[in-house]
Amino acid sequence: MEFGFENELCELAQRTAERGARLFVVGGRVRNALLGLPVSDTDVTSALRPDEMTCLAREAGWKVVPKGAAFGMVEVHIGDRTYEHTTFRRDKYAEGGAHRPTAVTFSDTPDEDAFRRDFTVNALYADVLAGTVADPTGGVCDLGARLIRATSPDPELILRDDGLRIMRLCRFAAELGFDIEEKTFAAAKKCAPLLADISAERVRDELVKILMADTKYGIPPEKSVLRGLHLLDETGALDVILPELALCRGVAQSPKFHRWPVLEHIFRTTAMSKPELPLRLGCLLHDAAKPVVLARQGNMHGHDVEGEKIARGVLHRLRFDNDTLERAVWLVRYHMYDLDGNAKEPTLKRRFARWGGDKVKALCDIREADFRGSVGEYITVKSADRWKRVLADMEAKHTPFSEHSLACTGADIMEWTGLPAGPHVGEIKSALLDHCAVRPQDNVPEKLRRIVRDMVRGPGEHPCKNI
Ligand code: ATP
Ligand code: MG
C-alpha cells in the first residue's frame, strides 16, 4: 500500500529510526487511507518514551507540547503539521467506566499496544519508512467486511475500561456505515450503564459527532445519523445519556399526523433536518416533553413550552456553549408556531420583525424536518414555504428587523414628544417596529415623526395609554 506520507512525517520517522525505533502511523489515518477516505489528524506511535521523543523533537528544532506525558503522549509540531505521538503502552483501568488508567506500562511493539485500543479497524499500524502495515488484531479483514469489532476476543474487557467506547462504537458505525460485530454489540448492551461515569464534555463531543455523522464521509443521513441514533437506543446508551428521550420510546401519537411513535419520530426529524448543529439539537429535543405532558394532562398540548425547560436542562447538563444552547432551545419553544399555516400575514410580519431573518429561516428548517419526520418523505411544507415568501418580501422591502434598524432613535422620540427618558420611549419604539414590520415604507424619519405624534395625540389610538 502506497500511503504517500509527507516529508515532515518521513523526517520524524528517520530521526526515530536513528534512535533505534520504528515510527508507525495508527488510528484513523491508516483506516481511512485503506478505505480511500479523507483523513483529518495524524496519530503516530513508537517505542520511544515521551522524554526521548521530546528530546528528539527539540534537537530537530520542532515545537513539542506535552499532552499527559504520564500516559505517553506528546504533540510534535513540524511546520504547520501536528503529530500526536503516543508511546506503545498497556493500560490498567480502575473499576467503573471512567477511563482513568491506574497504571500505564510502556511496551516495545505494536502487538501489545493494539489491545488497549478500542476497535480492530482503529488498531492498524503503518510503518512510515517501510510502508508496511502491522495488523495485530485482524483490522484489515474487518475493514473488508465493513465491521466494527473490539480489539479483544472478549469485547467486554475493552468496553468496560472506558464507557465512552460504547458511544464511539455507535459513532464509527454511523460515520463509516459499518456493521457492528455481534459479540461487540452484545458487550456494548451490557456495558452501557458505564457511560454514567463519563464526563459530560466527552459525551457531548461524541453525541455531536453522531448527530453530524452524515457530514464526515458523506453517507446519507438515514444510514448515518438515523442509524447512530438507533444504535444509541438499541445499546441502552440513550437511557444513560439522554433519559428524557428514552421516556419517549414507544409513546404512541395520532396516526392522523404521525407514522411513528414519539422517539422514532424524533430520530427521523433529526436525521431529515439540515446538517446544522443547533437545528439538529433542536430536532432531537423538540418533542422531548410529550411523555411528561401526556402523563400530566392526558394530551400533548403545551409540550413546546415544557420542552423548552427540558431542552435547556439537557443541553446545560451536557455543557453545550451558550450560543448553541439558546438557538436549539428557542427552536424547541417555537416549533409549534403557526402549525396550521393560518396566521394572518401582518401577524407573521410583526413576529418576524422581532425574531429576525436567521431565526425565521431556522424555524422553517425545523418545521420542514418535523413534517418530514412525521411522514418519512422529503415533502415540501406549506406553512414553511409561506413564511419564506413573507420573509423574502420583508427583506426585499428593507423592513427593519429590530428596533435598532428604525430610522429614529430614543433621543429623536424624546425630542419629538417632550417625553423624559423611560419605559414610554421603549413602548413607542416597539410600536414603531410593529408598524414598520407591515409598512416598511414608513421607516423614514419624517414619517416616523408623524406616526409618533399621532400616537401621543390621537385619542384612543396610541399604544401607551399612560402618555
Ligand atoms: P477520527 O480522527 O477519524 O475521528 P480516529 O480513529 O483517528 O478517528 P481518534 O479519536 O483520533 O480516532 O483516536 C486515534 C486512535 O486512538 C483511535 O483510532 C484508537 O486507536 C485510539 N483511541 C482513541 N480514543 C480511544 C478510546 N477512548 N479508547 C480506545 N482507543 C482509543
Ligand atoms: Mg484521529
Side-chain angles (χ1 to χ4, degrees), residues 26-29 31-32 39-43 84 168 171-172 209 216:
V26 66
R29 181 155 175 190
R31 182 194 66 222
N32 287 6
V39 289
S40 40
D41 52 2
T42 304
D43 301 289
E84 192 163 284
R168 285 174 58 87
R171 193 251 294 182
F172 284 118
K209 287 180 185 170
K216 184 92 184 215

Side-chain angles (χ1 to χ4, degrees), residues 107-422:
S107 50
D108 293 318
T109 63
D111 290 343
E112 257 187 328
D113 184 82
F115 293 99
R116 66 140 188 112
R117 297 186 180 271
D118 44 13
F119 308 115
T120 61
V121 294
N122 288 346
L124 293 165
Y125 298 76
D127 185 321
V128 176
L129 294 182
T132 52
V133 174
D135 177 16
T137 63
V140 171
C141 181
D142 287 336
L143 271 186
R146 303 181 70 78
L147 263 192
I148 313 277
R149 178 200 306 270
T151 47
S152 165
D154 180 1
E156 255 187 70
L157 280 182
I158 301 296
L159 298 181
R160 225 187 296 138
D161 281 343
D162 178 4
L164 194 76
R165 289 174 185 169
I166 293 149
M167 285 189 83
R168 285 174 58 87
L169 178 69
C170 303
R171 193 251 294 182
F172 284 118
E175 285 178 345
L176 294 163
F178 277 25
D179 288 328
I180 297 175
E181 182 271 329
E182 219 172 284
K183 272 167 68 187
T184 304
F185 189 71
K189 274 172 126 167
K190 214 163 154 191
C191 297
L194 294 172
L195 265 166
D197 297 336
I198 301 297
S199 75
E201 290 82 355
R202 293 182 78 212
V203 169
R204 175 201 59 206
D205 291 347
E206 284 301 323
L207 179 64
V208 167
K209 287 180 185 170
I210 291 172
L211 290 176
M212 305 301 286
D214 53 334
T215 63
K216 184 92 184 215
Y217 306 120
I219 301 228
E222 312 83 68
K223 295 204 167 105
S224 50
V225 181
L226 183 59
R227 174 112 190 296
L229 292 170
H230 279 151
L231 288 172
L232 286 180
D233 182 27
E234 289 159 19
T235 52
L238 194 75
D239 297 70
V240 186
I241 60 166
L242 291 165
E244 298 84 353
L245 288 193
L247 280 182
C248 301
R249 196 181 279 131
V251 173
Q253 41 188 357
S254 165
K256 207 166 122 199
F257 307 108
H258 286 279
R259 208 171 134 186
W260 292 285
V262 179
L263 185 62
E264 184 64 17
H265 161 67
I266 285 178
F267 284 176
R268 286 177 183 269
T269 299
T270 308
M272 293 179 97
S273 65
K274 286 185 188 164
E276 289 161 14
L277 184 60
L279 175 64
R280 292 228 162 137
L281 287 168
C283 289
L284 188 70
L285 296 165
H286 79 288
D287 280 348
K290 278 185 169 172
V292 182
V293 173
L294 183 66
R296 191 169 62 205
Q297 63 199 37
N299 60 46
M300 290 171 176
H301 297 317
H303 72 273
D304 42 358
V305 176
E306 188 67 29
E308 177 182 6
K309 293 185 213 155
I310 293 181
R312 191 173 291 283
V314 168
L315 298 177
H316 184 71
R317 183 177 76 224
L318 292 175
R319 310 240 201 290
F320 275 92
D321 66 86
N322 248 356
D323 180 57
T324 306
L325 178 149
E326 290 302 340
R327 284 170 191 246
V329 164
W330 188 87
L331 286 172
V332 175
R333 171 64 187 85
Y334 288 104
H335 78 272
M336 296 290 283
Y337 178 70
D338 186 28
L339 190 66
D340 51 14
N342 287 337
K344 298 218 167 65
E345 193 163 312
T347 310
L348 285 180
K349 287 185 165 175
R350 283 192 287 268
R351 279 282 189 141
F352 291 2
R354 283 174 202 289
W355 286 343
D358 288 348
K359 278 186 170 162
V360 176
K361 284 176 198 153
L363 204 64
C364 292
D365 291 339
I366 197 169
R367 170 60 46 83
E368 282 168 349
D370 196 0
F371 275 46
R372 291 168 183 174
S374 303
V375 298
E377 281 170 52
Y378 284 88
I379 49 168
T380 56
V381 180
K382 253 163 75 185
S383 57
D385 282 351
R386 178 168 175 246
W387 297 347
K388 284 182 212 170
R389 274 200 312 276
V390 170
L391 180 66
D393 178 52
M394 291 174 79
E395 285 172 341
K397 291 178 176 152
H398 305 288
T399 307
F401 280 98
S402 76
E403 290 173 12
H404 294 298
S405 310
L406 287 170
C408 70
T409 63
D412 294 332
I413 294 173
M414 288 190 280
E415 194 195 315
W416 296 338
T417 58
L419 281 169

Side-chain angles (χ1 to χ4, degrees), residues 19-52:
R19 291 181 174 246
R22 290 157 72 190
L23 186 77
F24 295 86
V25 173
V26 66
R29 181 155 175 190
V30 185
R31 182 194 66 222
N32 287 6
L34 293 171
L35 287 170
L37 294 174
V39 289
S40 40
D41 52 2
T42 304
D43 301 289
V44 293
T45 182
S46 77
L48 289 192
R49 305 301 189 250
D51 54 326
E52 293 175 296

Side-chain angles (χ1 to χ4, degrees), residues 71 86-91 104-107 112-113 116:
F71 302 146
T86 313
T87 306
F88 293 140
R89 66 172 209 242
R90 209 171 16 164
D91 300 336
V104 172
T105 319
F106 294 132
S107 50
E112 257 187 328
D113 184 82
R116 66 140 188 112

